[in-house]
């Protein structure tokens, strides 16, 4: 069989994971990324056990463990600091076989880029059209065309590929919330953090995750109209959480003002009828953008990459493999899109009575019951492994 080829549109986490998997399967892969260069952007990221298994399958599990910290010592608090729910690393590992890991998003991107080293990574390439296995792009002001057996569309929540292939789809919808993210440097972050935590207020929340190098990744969210608070700086965010329990004010005070990130949250409230069109497979946010309430956006993109690699590498008939990919991924991910939207509404109500009910229910929930409830999401298992090479080209 001649060498099979793939074009991956988008050099984010999902796109590079797909590139890494297909390279290991012996495909010749080209990645088109519209940014002029790969840069260390973003803040922290938490990878649940299902994502950890995906990275192990892709051959980058050792790299993950070298630059991250195992987590599971987590909990839910009220703005006064009262704990409503707590878990430990040991409990999470006992339930799912592996813990979760927290790291900087740039470190995850770097390790996937290194695992994709055999791919042709082309930055500064803006894709303008997709049809069959043909991809049209602009680079250095000039138009070009490329062709491949498989096209993987990992071009994000505002995917051009999705708009081209499904012109009748309404696209991403505003989820009704905004989020702020930041990093408190190690030399300024408050000491003695009790692991990860998420604090639930009324119409807004705050969470923090310690990183392996001593920095602390924090995130905050608020229900608000689309485009609201675009002018808020770090001082304005700190004012919104003034009076909340330690270390919330200290984390905000320790964060450099230029480290603040702000985003409106969009999701695919209207599900796609398929994740496949001809030779094109949609992956990650392009297929199933979801709110961050369950922390599964990147995790599901990694699952997508593993399943797509396993099916494409394990079948001589690409059409059959892509149909199987659609069946395997659409039901699971679209269910999580809905579940994440529901969780966001339940965790962050603006109504005082609803917030009180949420707190009582969370406090009354046994830890064992909470961990059981995560099984459907965290318990995902990787598919059978086709013949793969290591990221450096040798057989593992």
């Amino acid at each position: 069989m001649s060498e099979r080829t793939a074009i991956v549109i988008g050099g984010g986490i999902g796109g590079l994971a797909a590139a890494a998997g297909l390279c290991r399967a012996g495909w010749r892969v080209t990645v088109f990324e519209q940014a002029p260069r790969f840069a260390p952007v973003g803040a922290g990221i938490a990878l649940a056990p299902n994502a950890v298994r995906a990275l192990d399958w892709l051959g980058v599990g050792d790299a993950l463990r070298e630059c991250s910290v195992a987590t599971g010592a987590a909990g839910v608090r009220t703005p006064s600091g009262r704990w409503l729910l707590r878990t430990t690393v040991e409990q999470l590992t006992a339930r799912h076989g592996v813990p979760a890991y927290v790291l900087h998003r740039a470190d995850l991107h770097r390790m996937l880029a290194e695992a994709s080293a055999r791919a042709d990574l082309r930055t500064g390439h803006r894709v303008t059209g997709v049809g069959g296995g043909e991809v049209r792009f602009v680079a250095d002001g000039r138009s070009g065309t490329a062709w491949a057996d498989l096209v993987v569309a990992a071009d994000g929540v505002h995917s051009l590929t999705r708009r081209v292939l499904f012109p009748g789809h309404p696209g991403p919808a505003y989820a009704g919330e905004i989020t702020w993210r930041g990093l408190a440097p190690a030399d300024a972050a408050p000491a003695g953090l009790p692991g990860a935590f998420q604090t639930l207020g009324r119409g807004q929340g705050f969470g923090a995750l310690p990183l392996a190098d001593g920095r602390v990744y924090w995130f905050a969210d608020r229900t608000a109209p689309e485009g609201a608070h675009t002018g808020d700086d770090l001082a304005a965010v700190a004012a919104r959480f003034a009076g909340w329990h330690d270390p919330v004010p200290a984390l905000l005070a320790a964060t450099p003002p230029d480290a603040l990130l702000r985003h409106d949250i969009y999701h695919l409230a209207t599900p796609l009828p398929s994740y496949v069109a001809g030779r094109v497979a949609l992956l990650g946010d392009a297929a199933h953008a979801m709110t961050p309430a369950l922390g599964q956006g990147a995790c599901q993109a990694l699952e997508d990459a593993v399943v797509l690699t396993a099916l494409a590498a394990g079948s001589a008939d690409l059409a059959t493999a892509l149909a199987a990919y659609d069946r395997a991924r659409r039901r699971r991910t679209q269910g999580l899109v809905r579940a994440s939207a529901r969780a966001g509404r339940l965790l962050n109500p603006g109504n005082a009575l609803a917030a009180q009910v949420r707190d009582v229910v969370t406090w009354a929930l046994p830890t064992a019951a909470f961990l059981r409830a995560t099984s459907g999401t965290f318990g995902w298992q990787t598919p059978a492994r086709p013949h793969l090479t290591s990221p450096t080209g040798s057989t593992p």
Side-chain angles (χ1 to χ4, degrees), residues 274-321:
S274 176
Y275 290 174
V276 171
R279 295 176 179 270
V280 184
L282 275 71
L283 180 151
D285 284 351
H288 46 70
M290 60 189 69
T291 68
L294 297 180
Q296 279 290 307
C299 299
Q300 291 305 305
L302 292 169
E303 285 189 18
D304 288 347
V306 166
V307 173
L308 181 62
T309 295
L311 292 169
S315 174
D317 183 359
L318 183 60
T320 299

Side-chain angles (χ1 to χ4, degrees), residues 29-373:
V29 180
T30 302
V31 179
F32 287 161
E33 167 56 45
Q34 68 177 353
R37 60 186 178 87
F38 289 131
V41 296
I45 187 169
L47 297 174
N50 53 314
V52 175
R53 292 190 201 94
L55 290 170
D56 283 337
W57 194 95
L58 290 168
V60 295
D62 289 344
L64 168 68
R65 289 164 177 82
E66 287 174 3
C67 66
S68 63
V69 59
T71 187
V76 179
R77 308 177 76 170
T78 66
S80 68
R82 181 167 65 97
W83 290 95
L84 300 175
L85 176 70
R86 300 189 78 170
T87 62
T88 67
V89 174
E90 292 76 17
Q91 288 172 320
L92 188 68
T93 304
R95 182 73 193 181
H96 297 295
V98 293
Y101 285 89
V102 179
L103 69 165
H104 195 285
R105 183 175 288 266
D107 288 330
L108 176 59
H109 191 271
R110 172 187 51 76
M111 70 180 67
L112 290 171
E114 290 172 354
S116 309
R118 293 196 297 124
D120 181 5
L121 299 177
R122 302 185 186 180
T123 57
H125 281 59
R126 179 173 59 86
V127 171
T128 58
V130 178
E134 182 182 83
V135 176
R136 298 178 294 280
F137 61 89
V138 173
D140 296 325
R142 293 177 292 182
S143 299
T145 302
W147 190 94
D149 298 310
L150 169 65
V151 176
V152 180
D155 48 349
V157 61
H158 299 292
S159 167
L160 168 74
T161 312
R162 184 180 61 235
R163 295 199 304 270
V164 170
L165 298 178
F166 299 97
H169 188 271
Y174 179 59
E177 62 178 307
I178 60 175
T179 182
W180 297 281
R181 297 182 177 94
L183 278 172
D187 59 358
L193 260 68
F197 68 86
Q198 184 171 7
T199 300
L200 305 178
R202 196 179 83 184
Q204 61 183 26
F206 189 97
L209 299 163
L211 303 185
D213 60 5
R215 291 179 296 175
V216 179
Y217 162 53
W218 61 263
F219 55 92
D221 56 76
R222 178 180 175 83
T223 56
E226 186 175 11
H229 305 292
T230 54
D232 282 4
D233 57 12
L234 190 59
V237 177
R240 295 191 179 280
F241 295 94
W244 284 40
H245 67 80
D246 291 332
V248 174
L251 285 171
L252 291 167
T255 303
D258 60 358
L260 181 68
L261 301 173
R262 181 208 171 280
H263 297 97
D264 288 343
I265 301 299
Y266 296 88
H267 64 153
L268 285 192
T270 301
L272 285 170
S274 176
Y275 290 174
V276 171
R279 295 176 179 270
V280 184
L282 275 71
L283 180 151
D285 284 351
H288 46 70
M290 60 189 69
T291 68
L294 297 180
Q296 279 290 307
C299 299
Q300 291 305 305
L302 292 169
E303 285 189 18
D304 288 347
V306 166
V307 173
L308 181 62
T309 295
L311 292 169
S315 174
D317 183 359
L318 183 60
T320 299
L322 291 181
Y325 168 76
D326 182 53
R327 289 194 301 272
R329 298 306 300 157
R330 191 150 45 90
R331 181 177 180 182
R332 173 169 169 80
T333 55
Q334 290 178 351
L336 284 169
V337 170
R338 294 189 295 270
S340 192
R342 287 196 302 270
R345 291 191 294 269
L346 291 171
L347 292 174
N348 208 10
N351 178 274
L353 179 59
Q356 290 175 354
V357 171
R358 172 206 63 201
D359 291 351
V360 170
V361 170
T362 305
W363 177 81
L365 182 67
T367 301
F370 168 77
L371 290 169
R372 281 196 303 273

